[in-house]
């Protein structure tokens, strides 16, 4: 589904790249964990496959179409859903409006369907009493579940998450990873999680470690 | 259009910020509206001044041409005994009627003045320390064919058309004034002091004695009594009789007293101009209808003074509008820039979802638009108050400037000559009660009211200010990279 070819990135000096010549393939219905120490470039890699930045060299292909061809805005709108460590919800909206807004922007199949959004939130443990409450009044775990629900409501086949459990306790971490697994296996989406927690990575179908500017498959 | 909903949710959720923006926008729009209101009121006041202040055009003998003629005769004549005289040709009423047909002429007043002696009554005497003159009227040139009586007779078409009455320097206290229907009659209007001194009242008759020709007597009927303010004597000149001895009659009576050759003539004819702004064009058209023996002069000093004052108010109001609009745009742009800076994460999330940048800008614009609509309503209420305060301040300031400038430029007596007869015309065109415009003007109060047009114009300004401030501020949105905002 997603393929990188000769991918490389550096900030200022080409001689000191974060990574280079990366050739990876990610499949639908699978979850992937990318491990690595801080500063190794795993988040930068995620920003490239999420369409938030352009690679310095190489290319990324979605179903054999280059992201350059698709266009980054189009790619972000239709093909990829992102979950951030800081949740990044619309802080002036309720969980329900967050989902409806995302569905409207991405032209999702269920755009405008309040019932669908409500069911997705309920499935993730956001009860009816929380649906119309401002997201700033939810706990961290609840906010992250709203962020995950947002990815589920959109039709994107690729879900990327940057340290999604970084701000969560053990119980919430387990819950969130379970959700990602369900998204991968039940909804047949490709889930790529960047994490520095080996326990989280261990629960994914495939693990890669970024070290010495290269990805090493661990499983 | 999802950004409309987002805009509404944001404005509603962040009530404090929205209220603050509404207050700032209201203040800006209130001053813009005040400027717009003052400007439109000044324009309206100038329009009103056209009818209220008016302008006049006077047809009289061409003194300059007559003087030149006299000079050329003088140089050709060597005999001292046959020294040429300044002869002014009386205005023909037929000429006046032709001019009156011009499109910009509203009405006209014929003036023919003369003097007579009291026969059945005593004139009011004023002890000025000067002896009465038996020659020509003061200010005029002594003429062999003229002699002065103790009663000034001002022949007019109607007293209501003379500036003495229109400016309330003279007021009818009993009976009525002279009307156009008095032509061919011996009806007169006399001064209150003259009436009380001689126990005369409306309906009484009095006898006057002509000063020329057969010096016959003539009975006149009092149809009205007027009260003259003391200032009238100023225009009569120092050698004139007491202003109370001025009686008003139809110009036909004045012409009859002057002699048969004056039938169908006048000393001067004053035309009231409909649109003072076109006074000079009307004068030009009028000049084509008359011979060089006559001259047309315009007097639109009152209109020009009000116009100048209102122009200055309008100019200042324009500056207010533009300065506030520019300052408002800058202030709002700065606020929006700060607002956008604190909403970088939201913009980043929108960009990560694939939202088009123009839709994000449109969301901010819609939010500001919602604020501006409420601010417009507030400004509509408050703008009238601010406009009234500013307007009255501006008018009083402008009146002070105008008064001080008219003190230096105003000439006593306006365009008329101060009293006296000249040549064959007894009583000059500028005798007492003549229809000359005074330069004394009162600035109209600005009627400041909020109309639908003003609100529409304000809405336009509000929209432009919002659009510009958002455009200035949205440079940041267009340059924003979601990765830098969302992934640290």
């Amino acid at each position: 589904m997603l393929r990188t070819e000769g991918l490389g990135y550096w900030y200022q000096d080409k001689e000191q790249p974060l990574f280079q010549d990366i050739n990876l393939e990610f499949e639908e219905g699978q979850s992937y964990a990318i491990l690595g120490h801080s500063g190794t470039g795993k988040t930068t890699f995620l920003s490239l496959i999420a369409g938030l930045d352009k690679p310095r060299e190489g290319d990324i292909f979605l179903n054999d179409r280059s992201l350059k061809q698709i266009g980054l805005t189009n790619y972000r709108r239709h093909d990829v859903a992102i979950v951030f460590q800081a949740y990044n919800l619309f802080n002036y909206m309720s969980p329900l409006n967050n989902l409806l807004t995302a569905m409207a922007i991405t032209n999702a199949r269920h755009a405008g369907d309040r019932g669908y959004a409500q069911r997705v939130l309920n499935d993730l443990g956001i009860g009816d009493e929380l649906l119309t409450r401002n997201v700033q009044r939810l706990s961290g775990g609840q906010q992250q579940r709203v962020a995950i629900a947002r990815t589920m409501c959109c039709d994107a086949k690729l879900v990327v998450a940057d340290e999604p459990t970084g701000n969560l306790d053990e119980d919430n971490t387990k819950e969130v990873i379970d959700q990602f697994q369900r998204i991968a296996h039940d909804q047949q989406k490709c889930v790529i999680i960047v994490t520095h927690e080996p326990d989280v990575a261990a629960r994914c179908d495939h693990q890669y470690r970024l070290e010495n500017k290269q990805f090493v498959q661990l499983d | 259009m999802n950004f409309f909903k987002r805009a509404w949710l944001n404005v509603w959720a962040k009530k404090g910020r929205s209220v603050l923006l509404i207050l700032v926008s209201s203040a800006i729009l209130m001053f813009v509206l005040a400027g717009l209101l003052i400007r439109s009121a000044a324009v309206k006041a100038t329009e009103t001044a056209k009818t209220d202040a008016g302008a006049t055009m006077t047809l009289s003998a061409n003194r300059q041409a007559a003087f030149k003629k006299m000079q050329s005769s003088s140089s050709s004549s060597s005999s001292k005994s046959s020294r040429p005289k300044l002869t002014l040709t009386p205005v023909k009423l037929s000429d006046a009627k032709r001019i009156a047909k011009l499109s910009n002429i509203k009405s006209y007043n014929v003036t023919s003045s003369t003097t007579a002696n009291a026969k059945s009554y005593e004139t009011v005497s004023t002890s000025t320390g000067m002896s009465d003159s038996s020659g020509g009227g003061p200010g005029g040139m002594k003429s062999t064919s003229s002699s002065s009586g103790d009663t000034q007779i001002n022949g007019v078409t109607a007293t209501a058309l003379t500036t003495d009455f229109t400016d309330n320097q003279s007021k009818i206290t009993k009976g009525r004034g002279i009307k156009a229907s008095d032509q061919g009659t011996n009806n007169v209007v006399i001064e209150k002091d003259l009436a009380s001194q001689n126990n005369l009242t409306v309906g009484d008759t009095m006898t006057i004695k002509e000063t020329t020709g057969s010096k016959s007597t003539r009975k006149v009927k009092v149809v009205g009594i007027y009260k003259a303010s003391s200032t009238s004597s100023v225009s009569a000149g120092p050698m004139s009789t007491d202003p109370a001895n001025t009686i008003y009659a139809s110009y036909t009576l004045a012409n009859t007293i002057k002699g048969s050759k004056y039938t169908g003539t006048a000393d001067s004819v004053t035309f009231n101009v409909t649109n003072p702004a076109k006074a000079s064009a009307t004068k030009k058209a009028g000049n084509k209808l008359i011979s060089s023996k006559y001259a047309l002069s315009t007097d639109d000093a009152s209109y020009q003074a009000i116009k100048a004052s209102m122009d200055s108010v309008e100019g200042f109001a324009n500056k207010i509008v533009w300065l506030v609009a520019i300052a408002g745009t800058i202030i709002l742009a700065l606020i929006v820039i700060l607002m956008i800076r604190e909403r970088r994460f939201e913009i980043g999330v929108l960009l990560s979802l694939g939202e088009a940048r123009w839709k994000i800008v449109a969301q901010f614009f819609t939010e500001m638009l919602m604020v501006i609509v409420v601010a417009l309503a507030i400004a509509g209420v408050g703008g009238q108050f601010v406009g009234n305060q500013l307007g009255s301040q501006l008018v009083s300031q402008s009146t002070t400037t105008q008064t001080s400038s008219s003190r230096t430029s105003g000439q006593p007596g306006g365009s008329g000559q101060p009293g006296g007869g000249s040549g064959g015309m007894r009583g000059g065109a500028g005798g007492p009660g003549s229809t000359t415009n005074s330069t004394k003007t009162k600035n109209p109060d600005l009627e400041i009211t909020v109309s639908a047009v003003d609100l529409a114009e304000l809405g336009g300004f509000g929209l432009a200010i919002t659009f510009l401030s958002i455009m200035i501020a949205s440079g940041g949105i267009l340059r924003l990279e979601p990765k830098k905002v969302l992934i640290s």
Side-chain angles (χ1 to χ4, degrees):
Chain A
M1 182 197 175
L2 189 80
R3 194 175 81 244
T4 66
E5 273 187 12
L7 203 65
Y9 196 92
W10 58 88
Y11 280 105
Q12 282 159 355
D13 188 0
K14 191 181 176 180
E15 301 306 313
Q16 292 180 314
L18 280 172
F19 47 82
Q20 63 183 152
D21 197 24
I22 305 298
N23 299 295
L24 293 174
E25 273 196 52
F26 301 94
E27 298 297 331
E28 282 177 12
Q30 300 289 312
S31 62
Y32 298 85
I34 295 171
L35 278 158
H37 297 295
S38 296
T40 50
K42 55 186 189 300
T43 298
T44 301
F45 176 77
L46 179 127
S47 71
L48 296 181
I49 58 173
L52 297 173
D53 202 357
K54 291 173 189 169
R56 300 283 177 164
E57 64 181 10
D59 206 350
I60 300 168
F61 295 88
L62 179 76
N63 296 325
D64 296 326
R65 276 187 76 204
S66 163
L67 261 54
K68 289 173 190 164
Q69 275 182 298
I70 297 168
L72 291 188
T73 302
N74 259 333
Y75 174 69
R76 289 198 300 264
R77 187 179 302 153
H78 300 295
D79 302 311
V80 64
I82 313 166
V83 178
F84 302 93
Q85 181 177 359
Y87 329 127
N88 289 342
L89 299 170
F90 298 112
N91 62 8
Y92 54 92
M93 291 184 194
S94 64
L96 197 57
N97 276 328
N98 261 282
L99 262 62
L100 289 169
T101 299
M103 287 155 74
I105 292 171
T106 58
N107 292 322
R109 257 178 310 147
H110 297 284
D113 189 345
R114 288 175 72 88
Y116 177 78
Q118 207 168 320
R119 278 197 302 279
V120 173
L121 283 165
N122 287 160
D123 287 348
L124 286 170
I126 305 297
D128 287 345
E129 72 282 3
L130 299 177
L131 291 178
T132 52
R133 187 182 288 185
N134 185 288
V135 288
Q136 286 177 304
R137 293 173 61 199
L138 302 182
S139 70
Q142 286 168 330
Q143 286 191 50
Q144 193 60 298
R145 273 179 270 165
V146 174
I148 293 167
R150 186 167 67 181
T151 66
M152 291 168 74
C153 282
C154 300
D155 300 334
K157 279 287 185 186
L158 175 65
V159 176
V160 295
D162 180 29
E163 301 281 6
T165 56
N167 293 340
L168 303 180
D169 58 27
E170 201 176 323
D171 289 342
N172 275 313
T173 298
K174 186 176 176 302
E175 183 73 27
V176 164
I177 296 302
D178 285 345
Q179 289 301 338
F180 278 121
Q181 285 294 77
R182 277 197 284 274
I183 290 170
H185 299 146
D186 299 348
Q187 295 187 6
Q188 285 298 297
K189 294 186 179 185
C190 173
V191 176
I192 303 170
I193 300 170
V194 165
T195 181
H196 65 275
E197 297 172 76
D199 294 348
V200 171
R203 299 196 56 201
C204 292
D205 300 332
H206 307 280
Q207 297 90 35
Y208 288 93
R209 177 179 294 278
L210 179 57
E211 56 187 14
N212 299 324
K213 301 167 190 172
Q214 288 295 321
F215 281 85
V216 180
Q217 191 161 6
L218 301 177
D219 56 313
Chain B
M1 286 294 168
N2 187 248
F3 62 83
F4 280 119
K5 191 184 172 189
R6 290 202 307 267
W8 167 246
L9 287 172
N10 191 275
V11 168
W12 187 248
K14 297 184 177 174
K15 293 183 187 75
R17 194 202 62 188
S18 302
V19 168
L20 193 72
L21 274 173
I22 286 170
L23 289 177
V24 173
S25 308
S26 298
I28 292 166
L29 291 181
M30 210 177 279
F31 280 96
V32 171
L33 180 63
L36 290 174
L37 290 180
I38 293 169
R39 191 179 65 179
S40 63
V43 170
K44 216 185 287 173
T46 311
E47 284 299 311
T48 312
K50 281 181 187 174
T51 49
D52 288 356
T56 57
M57 190 169 74
T58 305
L59 172 67
S60 58
N62 189 338
R63 284 181 66 87
Q64 274 187 322
F67 194 72
K68 273 182 188 170
K69 192 179 173 187
M70 184 191 79
Q71 278 185 319
S72 62
S73 306
S74 173
S75 58
S76 62
S77 169
S78 56
S79 166
K80 278 186 180 178
S81 60
S82 61
R83 199 168 64 182
K85 299 160 199 163
L86 179 68
T87 309
L88 297 177
T89 315
V91 172
K92 282 182 195 167
L93 289 181
S94 54
D95 285 344
K97 281 174 185 167
R98 278 209 304 274
I99 292 170
K101 283 178 185 167
L102 292 172
S103 59
N104 199 24
I105 302 296
K106 188 164 56 181
S107 60
Y108 69 100
N109 187 36
V110 176
T111 307
S112 181
S113 298
T114 187
T115 58
N117 283 315
K119 176 77 178 169
S120 68
Y121 62 95
E122 290 290 323
T123 54
V124 177
S125 58
T126 314
S127 58
T128 58
M130 293 177 172
S131 58
D132 281 353
S133 168
S134 57
M141 293 183 73
K142 190 173 178 180
S143 163
T144 51
S145 63
S146 73
S147 57
S148 179
D150 52 17
T151 305
Q152 171 76 31
I153 297 171
N154 284 339
V156 294
T157 303
T159 46
L161 293 171
T162 64
T163 50
D164 276 354
F165 283 86
T166 54
D167 289 353
N168 288 329
Q169 286 174 20
S170 297
K171 278 180 189 170
I172 298 289
T173 54
K174 270 184 187 171
R176 62 171 177 82
I178 296 296
K179 296 176 183 174
S181 58
D182 287 317
Q183 282 176 30
T185 68
N186 286 356
N187 294 341
V188 295
V189 173
I190 62 170
E191 214 278 332
K192 194 183 170 190
D193 291 345
L194 184 68
S196 59
Q197 182 173 296
N198 294 285
N199 289 323
L200 290 168
T201 188
V202 173
D204 290 348
T205 55
M206 51 197 277
T207 311
I208 55 167
K209 189 180 177 185
E210 292 175 6
T211 55
T212 55
S214 60
K215 298 191 177 178
S216 57
T217 57
R218 187 175 295 274
K219 277 189 177 179
V220 292
K221 187 185 175 187
V222 179
V223 293
I225 293 170
Y226 75 94
K227 185 172 177 3
S229 66
S230 56
T231 52
S232 297
S233 64
V234 174
S235 61
M239 299 293 283
S240 68
T241 62
D242 190 279
N245 297 325
T246 300
I247 67 175
Y248 284 92
S250 169
Y251 69 90
T252 54
L253 177 62
N255 282 346
T256 310
I257 293 168
K258 282 156 93 173
S260 59
K261 67 174 180 178
Y262 288 95
T263 306
T265 66
D267 294 346
S268 66
V269 180
T270 306
F271 302 92
N272 291 312
V273 175
T274 313
N275 183 358
K278 291 179 181 169
S280 31
T282 310
K283 181 186 167 186
K284 211 173 174 181
N287 272 328
K288 288 178 185 167
L289 302 172
I290 55 170
S291 78
S292 60
K293 286 181 195 171
Y294 308 113
L296 271 173
S297 60
T298 50
D299 183 4
D300 57 354
S302 303
Y303 167 72
Q304 291 300 346
I306 291 172
K307 190 176 178 293
S309 164
M310 289 301 114
D311 280 353
S312 128
V313 171
E314 190 186 338
F316 191 77
N318 263 331
K319 279 176 197 152
I320 292 177
V321 169
W322 287 110
L323 279 177
V324 174
I326 292 166
T329 306
I330 293 168
I331 292 167
L332 273 185
L334 287 173
I335 293 173
V336 175
I337 287 169
L338 290 175
M339 194 174 84
I340 286 172
R341 280 175 73 92
E342 75 174 31
R343 292 172 71 178
R344 287 168 77 240
F345 274 98
E346 179 193 342
I347 298 166
V349 176
L350 286 167
L351 290 172
S352 76
L353 285 168
E355 183 66 306
R357 286 173 197 266
W358 75 264
K359 284 187 180 175
I360 299 171
V361 175
Q363 179 189 338
F364 289 121
F365 181 71
T366 311
E367 285 174 19
M368 279 305 296
L369 212 58
M370 289 171 183
V371 164
I372 286 288
V373 167
V374 181
L376 269 173
I378 295 171
V381 178
Q384 182 153 7
F385 174 75
V386 177
N388 270 319
Q389 298 297 317
L390 262 176
S392 54
Q393 185 68 31
L394 280 174
V395 170
S396 70
Q397 214 167 2
S398 149
T399 308
T400 314
T401 316
Q402 188 194 326
T403 310
S404 61
S405 68
S406 65
R407 267 194 209 123
T408 53
S409 64
Q411 290 171 8
S415 61
Q417 293 88 38
S422 52
M425 296 171 69
R426 280 170 285 172
S434 70
T435 321
T436 52
N437 251 10
S438 164
T439 52
K440 192 180 78 178
T441 53
K442 181 183 178 297
N443 270 339
D445 289 333
L446 291 181
E447 280 181 37
I448 293 173
T449 47
V450 183
S451 67
V453 177
D454 293 324
L455 282 179
E457 206 172 345
L458 179 67
F461 267 96
L463 209 64
I465 289 172
T466 309
F467 182 76
L468 281 174
S469 55
I470 291 291
M471 283 301 119
I472 293 166
S474 62
I477 300 174
L478 300 174
R479 284 195 305 271
L480 199 70
E481 289 176 35
K483 182 197 164 191
K484 284 185 181 168
V485 180
L486 300 171
I487 298 172
S488 56

